[in-house]
Amino acid sequence: MTASGAVEAGTTEADADRVFAALASAVRREVLRLLRDGGPQPVQALADHFDMRRPSLSEHLRVLREAGLVSEQRSGRQRIYRLEAAPLAEVQDWLHPYERFWRGRLKDLGALLDRMPDDDVT
Amino acid sequence: MTASGAVEAGTTEADADRVFAALASAVRREVLRLLRDGGPQPVQALADHFDMRRPSLSEHLRVLREAGLVSEQRSGRQRIYRLEAAPLAEVQDWLHPYERFWRGRLKDLGALLDRMPDDDVT
DNA sequence: TTGACCCGTAGGGAAAGTCCTACCTATTCT
DNA sequence: AGAATAGGTAGGACTTTCCCTACGGGTCAA
């Protein structure tokens, strides 16, 4: 009921924790970029881009997998990793309510309204 | 040249690390939501929403501050915290190149193209 | 000035993250 | 079958995070 369901509207806070934590690493973001620009790839092809032992990269891949950001498909003795962007779509959804804070001049209106709850701050 | 510059186009990987890491905590995301919906507030008002000692919340606020997600303004013996959404705008920018992976049927086209770089995966 | 209040910092302990070096399984080639 | 290849797991060292209890500095009210 967590990954195979149809729509799965409910994203828990723990899910969001995992996704943001997974993104909080330059190595893992680079892995996602490689999968985005280079398509699905086996581990070795990804590892070539990093100055790091393969077991360490394996752990990064595990973090990405548990966040739902990549999936693996076994093919012979290789594991093909593929980008799974659904969690990123949820990040974008999470972002929406904040948009008015940086969208053009609307920001000024928003900031003005936000200043009202307090009495005066000089 | 890091926080007060005009446009500051260059966002380093370390900056992104800090922003995503800051967002990887339900407590800190809730702080952002409180500032978004309730406007700028002093620490005590924020602390009332959490089952946590205030010094701990202070550390969370420091993490958010160092990520540029909030700013503080001293007012008497209070510190008014305000949402700073600029880093969130950069998160959205980071997200853009991934959009085609979840946008409608375009996803299928993208997935098809992504499958080509490899020879055969059966 | 004394005391109450707001809030940050210091330091400690438990847990988690990140890298490493072995080591293991599964698959393919000869 | 035996060797080589692909890649995950185990366990250790080091660092970071996150919570806590003290404690210190600035501000306001009496």
Side-chain angles (χ1 to χ4, degrees):
Chain A
M1 274 200 189
T2 300
S4 60
V7 177
E8 193 64 31
T11 302
T12 69
E13 291 297 288
D15 288 337
D17 278 14
R18 268 187 292 272
V19 171
F20 281 119
L23 297 178
S25 153
V27 170
R28 291 190 292 260
R29 287 195 303 277
E30 178 67 4
V31 167
L32 294 182
R33 194 193 64 77
L34 289 167
L35 293 177
R36 161 167 65 80
D37 295 345
Q41 299 168 44
V43 175
Q44 186 56 54
L46 296 169
D48 289 343
H49 296 269
F50 300 96
D51 183 24
M52 177 187 297
R53 305 297 170 189
R54 229 194 349 81
S56 302
L57 183 62
S58 264
E59 289 206 14
H60 283 297
L61 290 173
R62 187 177 55 77
V63 171
L64 288 169
R65 226 184 307 122
E66 292 178 349
L69 286 162
V70 303
S71 62
E72 77 168 24
Q73 183 201 348
R74 313 184 56 147
S75 171
R77 56 185 163 183
Q78 301 192 120
R79 255 105 152 173
I80 310 298
Y81 276 83
R82 181 189 308 275
L83 174 66
E84 295 293 338
L88 295 181
E90 294 181 9
V91 168
Q92 198 177 56
D93 289 345
W94 180 86
L95 237 24
H96 272 129
Y98 294 92
E99 273 188 11
R100 69 186 187 89
F101 282 86
W102 73 78
R103 284 249 179 244
R105 305 302 178 186
L106 276 155
K107 166 179 176 283
D108 300 332
L109 176 59
L112 184 67
L113 290 172
D114 295 333
R115 234 177 302 259
M116 298 187 64
D118 260 318
D119 290 335
D120 58 274
V121 188
T122 302
Chain B
M1 274 202 192
T2 299
S4 59
V7 176
E8 193 65 33
T11 301
T12 70
E13 290 297 286
D15 288 337
D17 277 13
R18 268 187 291 273
V19 171
F20 281 120
L23 296 178
S25 154
V27 169
R28 291 191 291 261
R29 287 194 304 276
E30 178 67 5
V31 167
L32 294 182
R33 195 193 62 77
L34 289 167
L35 293 178
R36 161 166 66 79
D37 296 344
Q41 299 169 44
V43 174
Q44 185 56 55
L46 295 169
D48 289 343
H49 296 269
F50 300 96
D51 183 25
M52 177 187 298
R53 305 296 171 191
R54 230 188 346 81
S56 301
L57 182 62
S58 265
E59 289 207 14
H60 283 297
L61 290 173
R62 187 175 56 76
V63 172
L64 288 169
R65 226 184 307 122
E66 292 178 350
L69 285 162
V70 302
S71 62
E72 77 168 26
Q73 184 201 349
R74 313 183 57 149
S75 171
R77 55 185 164 184
Q78 301 191 122
R79 254 104 152 176
I80 310 298
Y81 276 83
R82 181 189 308 274
L83 174 66
E84 295 293 338
L88 295 181
E90 293 182 9
V91 168
Q92 200 178 53
D93 289 345
W94 180 86
L95 237 24
H96 272 128
Y98 294 92
E99 272 187 10
R100 71 185 186 88
F101 282 86
W102 72 78
R103 284 237 181 257
R105 304 301 178 185
L106 276 156
K107 165 177 176 286
D108 299 332
L109 176 59
L112 184 66
L113 290 173
D114 295 333
R115 233 176 302 258
M116 299 186 64
D118 260 317
D119 290 335
D120 58 274
V121 184
T122 299

